[in-house]
Amino acid sequence: MRKMAALLIALMVLVMALPMTGIAEGAIDTSEHVKIVYLVTGDKPTNRTDEVLAKINELLTEKINAELEFRWIEWTDWQTQYNLALATQSGDIDLIGTATDWLDAWPNSQKGAFLPLSEDMLKTYAPKTWESVSEAHWELCKYNGEIYLMPEDNYAQWTNHGFMYRGDWAREAGLENGVHSWADLGVYFQYIKDNKDGVIPWDANGNGSSYSPQMAGGWQASHTGNIAIEGFPVSIFYGNSKDDPYTLSRYYLEGDELINFAKEMKKWADAGFWRADVLNYTGDVAAEMEEGQTGAHQHHTQTWTGERTTMERKQPGSDLGFFWFGEEANNLIALNITHGAMAVAAQSKHPERALMVYDLMRNDPEIYHLMQYGFEGEMYTVDENGLFSRPEGFEDGTDGVSFNFWWGRNDGLEYRNAELDWDAIQKLYETYDSVKIDYPYGQYIYDNSMVGVFMDNLSNVYNTYMPRIVFGMNDDPEAIVAEFRQALQDAGIETVMAEVQSQMDAVYKK
Amino acid sequence: MWFFACSSEQNHVQGVDSLAKSKKASSVVTYRRPSLGKVLWQNKTLILMCLPAIVFFFVFSYMPMPGAYIAFTNFQYNKGIFDSPFVGLRNFQFLFQSGQLTLLLRNTVLYNLAFIILGNVLQLFFAIMLNEVQAKTYKKVSQSVMFLPYFISDVLVALLVYNLLNYDYGFISHLVRSLGGEMPKVYQNANAWPFIIVLVNLWKSTGYGTVVYFAAITGMDSSMMEAAQIDGANAWQRIRYITLPTLKPTVIILFLFAIGGILKGNFGLFYNLVGNNSMLFKTTDIIETYVYRSMMNSFNFSQSSAVGLFQSVVGFFIVLGANAFVKHLDPDYALF
Amino acid sequence: MSQSQHVMHTTKIRKDPTQITMNVITYVLVTIFCICCILPFWMIIASSFSTEEAIRRSGFTLWPTDVSTYSYYLLFRSPDQMIGAYIVTISLAAIGTAIGLFIISMTGYALQRRDFPFRNGIMFYIYFTSLFSAGLVPFYLLMVQTLNLRDNYLAILLPLLMSPWLIVLMKNFVKAIPHEITESGKIDGAGDFKIFYALILPSLKPALATIGLFLALSYWNEWYYSSLFLTTKVEYRPLQFHLYNVINKVASLKNSVAGSNVVITDLPGETLKMATAVVATGPIILLYPFVQKYFVAGLTVGAVKG
């Protein structure tokens, strides 16, 4: 935490100092008024975003003679829509919100969707951003030696997964300190099953595909030192451990831990910790938890920070806790800095001005606060501790502002939400900070061109078997793991592993 | 086909041709073929009448078609389709190397055949039966009601089915248990799903399909029906000898049309009903769902185009075959 | 028809026993099928008026439990959006159906003319497009870059105007009209278009009703092209797309990593889905009786033709 505070202060100083040392006025020709189109995922807001945008555009016009326009990629079918917009761009978009983990930033860089950003460009047109991102971090934004992304590297957030559980029920179950391991979780679930009538311990909506990598990877993090490598279409690529990160783990191919996982989940399934037809259930687990119909929700830390407050309101005394995957083994990787990043569109007609706009969005306090919180006084107030609160009766859906700016949030300018339970959050974050290691694979970008065909088949094999292992939907856990491993072999896992290993060696074992 | 074009006198021959189809061979008279320009001029009005459709399909279907080249490239966004590197058949590989192709083809084709055959039988049945019903209000109301499921989205259909069949809280589970029975775990039994999926499909599409046959019956020459009634034909005989033969061309056309899409599955229906419940894949996995699962984490326009192209090419040859067969039996029924 | 030879002359013209058996079978089967169709729909309506809590666990019910109109409130929260969506959809459907119907019937007639030498060629040209499509990216580029139709309602109106399937269907319906009508028109000295317009079109009523219905339905249910070509810049978007957004937003967020950035609060998932189904179906189902009129009318006047 101290490190972060130091960073924060350093940044504040920087931000304050920069306007004076900034590039000389007149060096950049801004005589032409341009419109910068910002491609962003999210539904078009029905709140006061447009009003705020108008104000921001006034400021932008004044400062750099440009204005910002949204191009929303709505959540309906967003993956297709987003990739289609990138693939068919013709100068109609300038700034693109992206991410290496959930918006395929690297494959899109490889496919030529983004403009490579030279150091000169960044220094000239996005000087504050250039300064605030360390050289080491810029290194992580390079593909083939060129910078493609501007990372959100100064924003503390944790999106590591785990289980939210009710502290009150955990204590009733005899877990005085709460749930801190998969074994505890089993005890907790069993207690609910036996004592809370009509409550399903974890009413998972197994219809979604996201549980497979989270659960399987969660067990793996808790029982091995393996470290997940991002950017693969299938979540079976892990490094051995923090001491030997650049050798691929063979966890999914051999060894007993996966079998143990399958056996345990089979036990849980048979004990009725989730419904029998979990794989086709599409319900809303979080809402059920809020209504006291289920005892757990599997998601990440960031969700927990908000959910804890909600639960306290809806189930007073519930004391929502968070068991994070990897807790038993102290196996925790800090969020990759490119979990959110901004890129410039390859076909942008005004890349310089786009960079200038981004530099202001990210670093100009007035614009940043407007974007993130709206009009001060009217839409929010900040107290002496730097906590912000909304006025009485404030509805985000109608009164708020949504820029969905997840590509350059800046702790130097953020206010904390007064509603959240910062004591509890702080405590967890401190634990995290004491055990975390930095993401070790920032410089490795998987190249799909050699083994893409095999990868697609592996993806299918994984999505076929993993849900059945995760939810214990099988007769014989050992047999299904063996079958899964055989199918991986048949789909060419060894070829792919060899290729990935050699790609990795090329980066890290020079 | 050219001999239809000879001269206007021959139109008469063609007009009564339906009575003398068997004499087709002898009607191929060896007229001298007129020049193309003349033929075009003679048919200018008919050509003009087709022109809007020709232009329409040219613009919306043929103009983008060269872009299907994307299936043979490693599509680079900043280069465009035609400047992207050519990779030959690489985008087609994953389907063939999957080891699943036989299963996928089997499932896709069998489901489609079941949908086509059972669907048409049911639609024909309802159209004919309702046509015999005298009570007008009943006829109208039942038709409207049969249309309702068509409007229920696949998401909702899946939810309905889940609510009926799920083991823990399902409507049918409740019913079975209250009667003292033991509910089978439907969502873990692959063998149940071909029936469920076919039933759901029939339930959804019958109302829509019946309308086609209804219209065809309506357009039928009712003088024949009256004559038959006077002759004392009973209801069954009227259907057997008048209604059904009248509907035959419609049935054949619908069949020919559907057969072209024999490899194309209804993704929405299957994906929503089955989802990622791999215990059911053996009997429910179709090409679309497989492709979706393989590529959901790696977006690849080239590959999805390749799959589409593969489905089209196979469908195309099947249709060519089926059409030639129908043409051989009776050229009047052929699609083209 | 020579089949009359097979007919037994012992039965009365009206009310023969087979007719009665058949009617009984029809009533029984049709009624069962109708119940299967109406019951789920009824449950959807009932559930749409329930609270989310009530149906979350117990699922669908025959009567609303804990009556709530919250999901309708959510749908109609911005009524101008809803009304706009209805107006857009109805206008598109009306214009598109009228134009489409005209072109389809004209083409269908021409292609059914036995004396039209290019009919098979043109038919193949049209049918071929139902088998092969260029795929998403080329089509998107055509619409957005070549035709410049982004954020233009024409991007919805035009691609749905006709389909090979509807033209084939129309061609098939035209086939039932005796060729003698065309012949008699020719003898009267009428041109091909005049024959089509004055003689053929009036006897095509059931076909026009059917294909018109299908066209209208395709406009009514359209959301795909809207999702591709109408960005959020367009104020009012077609109804189904509007509704599709409402229900899919929740679903697509819940199961995706994108959810890490978005907080979804208090969206009634299931009941909202039900309400959208009701809202989307209601108006179009009222259209159906008008269409039916032509089926019945055709039957009684049918004998006049030819």
Side-chain angles (χ1 to χ4, degrees), chain C residues 112-167:
Chain C
Q112 187 52 38
R113 278 277 293 265
R114 293 199 180 97
D115 55 343
F116 183 35
F118 306 107
R119 60 181 192 144
N120 277 348
I122 295 174
M123 196 56 237
F124 183 79
Y125 168 89
I126 292 174
Y127 176 70
F128 188 76
T129 64
S130 80
L131 288 173
F132 286 92
S133 68
L136 182 57
V137 173
F139 184 65
Y140 188 86
L141 287 173
L142 168 88
M143 295 295 281
V144 169
Q145 287 179 11
T146 316
L147 303 176
N148 199 13
L149 290 180
R150 179 182 286 151
D151 294 336
N152 190 328
Y153 289 126
L154 285 179
I156 317 301
L157 186 81
L158 294 178
L160 290 174
L161 272 181
M162 62 193 93
S163 70
W165 148 253
L166 292 179
I167 291 178

Side-chain angles (χ1 to χ4, degrees), chain A residues 9 30 47 59 102 136 161 189 204 210 225 227 247 253 261 311 316-317 371 380 402 418 495:
Chain A
I9 293 165
T30 57
N47 50 22
L59 293 170
W102 67 281
H161 278 253
F189 282 163
S210 61
I227 302 166
T247 309
L253 301 182
F261 173 61
M311 275 297 279
M371 225 166 53
Y380 72 100
S402 321
T495 316

Side-chain angles (χ1 to χ4, degrees), chain A residues 79-81 83-84 86-89 104 108-114 198 200 203 206-210 212 232-234 274-282 346-347 448-450 452-457 459-460 463-468 473-474 490, chain B residues 74-80 90-100 155 158-159 162 165-169 173 184-188 193 271-281 285 289-301 303:
Chain A
Q79 270 149 319
T80 313
Q81 302 291 347
N83 286 293
L84 201 54
L86 296 195
T88 60
Q89 54 176 299
D104 296 343
N108 280 325
S109 303
Q110 288 163 337
K111 287 174 188 160
F114 306 141
I200 297 180
D203 200 7
N207 189 257
S209 54
S210 61
S212 296
F232 289 98
V234 202
W274 43 76
R275 54 174 75 207
D277 296 331
V278 56
L279 290 179
N280 290 80
Y281 183 57
T282 55
Q347 313 277 335
N448 199 30
S449 61
M450 300 309 291
V453 175
F454 297 104
M455 197 58 99
D456 292 322
N457 292 332
S459 176
N460 180 65
N463 291 316
T464 301
Y465 287 96
M466 203 40 96
R468 294 186 57 185
M473 294 289 130
N474 52 70
D490 295 345
Chain B
N74 174 18
F75 181 35
Q76 295 288 309
Y77 299 172
N78 51 356
K79 294 202 180 100
R90 207 177 75 192
N91 293 318
F92 294 82
Q93 270 177 354
F94 89 109
L95 205 53
F96 293 95
Q97 290 191 353
S98 64
Q100 302 284 315
V155 179
L159 210 59
Y162 186 81
L165 296 179
N166 86 76
Y167 180 77
D168 297 295
Y169 302 100
S173 301
K185 288 185 174 166
V186 181
Y187 278 93
Q188 299 179 23
W193 284 83
Y271 184 68
N272 281 296
L273 280 177
V274 178
N276 65 349
N277 185 346
S278 49
M279 292 158 104
L280 311 179
F281 286 169
D285 214 10
T289 48
Y290 178 86
V291 169
Y292 177 80
R293 265 202 323 282
S294 300
M295 303 210 298
M296 65 184 175
N297 295 318
S298 60
F299 222 86
N300 192 330
F301 292 111
Q303 238 165 14

Side-chain angles (χ1 to χ4, degrees), chain B residues 63-168:
Chain B
M63 258 167 67
M65 226 174 256
Y69 177 67
I70 194 174
F72 304 94
T73 65
N74 174 18
F75 181 35
Q76 295 288 309
Y77 299 172
N78 51 356
K79 294 202 180 100
I81 295 172
F82 297 102
D83 292 324
S84 290
F86 178 77
V87 296
L89 296 176
R90 207 177 75 192
N91 293 318
F92 294 82
Q93 270 177 354
F94 89 109
L95 205 53
F96 293 95
Q97 290 191 353
S98 64
Q100 302 284 315
L101 195 61
T102 338
L103 176 93
L104 296 175
L105 287 176
R106 187 200 73 180
N107 284 350
T108 313
V109 169
L110 286 184
Y111 274 111
N112 276 331
L113 282 180
F115 293 166
I116 296 169
I117 295 169
L118 293 177
N120 277 297
V121 167
L122 207 64
Q123 291 155 14
L124 261 176
F125 175 82
F126 279 125
I128 293 172
M129 289 297 158
L130 276 177
N131 188 46
E132 297 289 321
V133 165
Q134 308 294 318
K136 271 190 183 158
T137 326
Y138 182 83
K139 206 159 150 175
K140 280 186 178 178
V141 171
S142 58
Q143 271 186 69
S144 298
V145 166
M146 280 161 66
F147 232 107
L148 280 175
Y150 175 78
F151 292 95
I152 304 180
S153 66
D154 292 323
V155 179
L156 219 48
V157 170
L159 210 59
L160 275 165
V161 173
Y162 186 81
N163 270 291
L164 281 178
L165 296 179
N166 86 76
Y167 180 77
D168 297 295

